[in-house]
Amino acid sequence: MKKYTIKDIAELAGVSKGTVDRVIHNRGKVSKHAFEKVNRLLKEIDYQPNPIARNLKNNKVYSICVLLPDPKKDKYWESCVDGIEEAVQEFFHFGITVKVMLFDPFDQKNFEKQSVTALKLNVNGMLLAPLFQKESLVFIKACEKADITYFLFNNDIEKRETQRFVGQNLYVSGRVGARLIHKSLKNNATVAIIHIDEVLKNATHMQEKEKGFRDYFDELKGVDFEITTYKLKHRNSDNLKKTVKYFIDTHPEISGAFITNSKIHLLAALLKEENSKRCIVGYDLLPENVKYLKSGVIDFLIHQNPKRQAYLGLVFLIEHFLFDKDIPNKRFLPIDIVNSENASTYLK
């Protein structure tokens, strides 16, 4: 297919290059006759403007702020930074500027402080990992008021089809975890849902996983599993280990456990010490989690692919600004089940 230049189109239509440019880019005054003539020709030749050239011609620099938890405080977010860096390198030559701002994943006040700072940067777009539901909703409304295009990744905070979000369907991932445990245990077993270091009432991602898990068991016919939720919370690592150990020692009746975040290794380490065998399902391919997966202490890990989430979230924003692409409302990623046999295929 021939690629037509503005000069070609002007000659075919019998008008000036300036007239063609004004029609294509919808700017300036053009007579009705010339407008119809050029548009008719554009349809005949199926003209497709070059979005890259158009953006370079406009010579506009777009800026995006990424607001995510500090990887030094939670290793889960390390791969998200890798995803951000990959997207930045991919679009480096287009003049996009990306600023990464980190917040303490255990401190809501720190998130509020960083979100206020982010809003003062005067950026075009905002990529957010909305760890705190209440505070994130306030931040999103501020973005909308300031006409800042935003996109969410990792966890969805509103049950709206129009929510801009990339990540897993967390309700479904909870159901997947439930099915894995159900198929590994006999009926009438006691199963624990364990939230480690999370403020459940302000964490939609944890609530959705638990709801999916419980709904799965509630819908089973002719079986009886006892499902109990436990919250083990303490920021200090040593004290958290003591809390987890106390939990294990005082709940010998538990046959299966569903840990709703990447801190499953804290439970696995102590289970290995006591040589206890329970069906253990959790999340994320952190090195310490993979170690216990391969040794058989952890039965299954649900891979959330945080690097891909962060990468896609930033790319969606960049392509929206550069090429006028529509931002998808929701993009659900596959829910990958990883065990000791296939773990190596997910690792670098």
Side-chain angles (χ1 to χ4, degrees):
M1 180 183 292
K2 180 178 177 180
K3 292 185 177 180
Y4 291 87
T5 65
I6 288 181
K7 181 181 178 181
D8 294 332
I9 297 168
E11 290 177 352
L12 289 170
V15 298
S16 69
K17 291 189 293 183
T19 297
V20 175
D21 181 78
R22 287 191 289 274
V23 172
I24 290 175
H25 297 101
N26 192 28
R27 59 189 177 207
K29 293 183 178 180
V30 179
S31 70
K32 182 179 179 182
H33 175 72
F35 181 83
E36 291 176 349
K37 194 174 183 180
V38 172
N39 258 330
R40 185 164 55 248
L41 179 60
L42 292 176
K43 290 179 180 178
E44 288 176 3
I45 65 176
D46 192 24
Y47 176 74
Q48 300 293 328
N50 184 335
I52 297 177
R54 181 178 63 188
N55 182 71
L56 293 177
K57 183 177 179 180
N58 291 340
N59 198 30
K60 182 171 182 178
V61 176
Y62 293 97
S63 58
I64 298 172
C65 176
V66 181
L67 191 56
L68 80 163
D70 189 343
K72 292 182 179 179
K73 296 181 180 294
D74 188 341
K75 289 183 179 180
Y76 169 81
W77 302 99
E78 288 179 353
S79 58
C80 293
V81 174
D82 293 339
I84 297 299
E85 292 176 351
E86 183 176 322
V88 169
Q89 288 300 315
E90 187 173 324
F91 291 91
F92 173 77
H93 297 291
F94 290 93
I96 289 282
T97 62
V98 178
K99 179 175 178 57
V100 177
M101 293 190 62
L102 305 176
F103 62 88
D104 188 334
F106 304 104
D107 188 342
Q108 294 159 258
K109 294 296 183 183
N110 181 255
F111 170 76
E112 290 179 297
K113 178 182 176 182
Q114 292 296 83
S115 65
V116 170
T117 302
L119 288 169
K120 293 178 180 178
L121 295 177
N122 194 31
V123 296
N124 305 102
M126 196 77 67
L127 179 63
L128 169 68
L131 213 59
F132 305 108
Q133 175 180 294
K134 181 181 176 182
E135 291 75 13
S136 294
L137 284 170
V138 172
F139 178 66
I140 286 172
K141 289 178 181 177
C143 286
E144 291 174 340
K145 185 176 181 181
D147 199 26
I148 298 173
T149 303
Y150 69 89
F151 199 82
L152 310 180
F153 74 100
N154 192 70
N155 40 294
D156 199 0
I157 61 173
E158 290 187 313
K159 296 179 181 179
R160 297 189 310 180
E161 289 303 314
T162 56
Q163 183 67 69
R164 299 163 179 165
F165 164 74
V166 61
Q168 289 185 346
N169 185 319
L170 300 177
Y171 173 83
V172 173
S173 81
R175 294 186 67 96
V176 169
R179 184 172 181 82
L180 291 172
I181 287 182
H182 171 218
K183 295 302 180 182
S184 303
L185 298 178
K186 296 179 180 179
N187 291 343
N188 305 316
T190 299
V191 179
I193 303 170
I194 303 175
H195 304 292
I196 299 179
D197 258 358
E198 296 286 351
V199 181
L200 185 60
K201 65 180 180 180
N202 202 24
T204 307
H205 52 300
M206 300 292 103
Q207 296 171 18
E208 285 298 294
K209 289 175 182 177
E210 175 167 343
K211 186 175 188 306
F213 191 92
R214 286 186 173 277
D215 282 355
Y216 173 89
F217 279 102
D218 287 344
E219 293 166 13
L220 292 177
K221 305 296 182 183
V223 297
D224 184 21
F225 285 83
E226 182 179 345
I227 312 296
T228 309
T229 298
Y230 297 95
K231 289 171 257 184
L232 308 180
K233 185 178 183 299
H234 200 296
R235 285 189 59 182
N236 181 282
S237 179
D238 290 334
N239 285 342
L240 180 57
K241 288 178 181 177
K242 292 178 182 177
T243 302
V244 174
K245 186 177 188 317
Y246 177 79
F247 168 78
I248 293 172
D249 291 342
T250 54
H251 295 85
E253 76 283 0
I254 292 174
S255 302
F258 174 59
I259 295 81
T260 56
N261 61 17
S262 61
K263 296 181 177 65
I264 185 174
H265 57 88
L266 295 171
L267 182 69
L270 297 171
L271 289 175
K272 185 175 182 179
E273 287 180 9
E274 69 167 22
N275 197 28
S276 173
K277 182 56 185 172
R278 297 176 172 91
C279 180
I280 306 298
V281 177
Y283 285 84
D284 304 316
L285 301 182
L286 272 63
E288 48 267 61
N289 289 348
V290 173
K291 179 180 72 173
Y292 291 115
L293 181 72
K294 290 183 175 180
S295 69
V297 180
I298 295 174
D299 294 277
F300 300 100
L301 289 172
I302 297 174
H303 179 38
Q304 300 186 95
N305 206 341
K307 179 180 178 179
R308 182 69 175 166
Q309 291 186 35
Y311 168 83
L312 285 176
L314 185 53
V315 167
F316 288 149
L317 283 173
I318 291 174
E319 291 186 338
H320 170 69
F321 293 127
L322 290 181
F323 313 135
D324 292 330
K325 284 191 175 182
D326 291 333
I327 297 178
N329 289 332
K330 286 188 187 291
R331 175 66 64 86
F332 289 129
L333 298 185
I335 298 172
D336 294 341
I337 300 170
V338 183
N339 60 21
S340 58
E341 303 303 319
N342 69 345
S344 60
T345 64
Y346 287 88
L347 306 176
K348 291 182 180 180

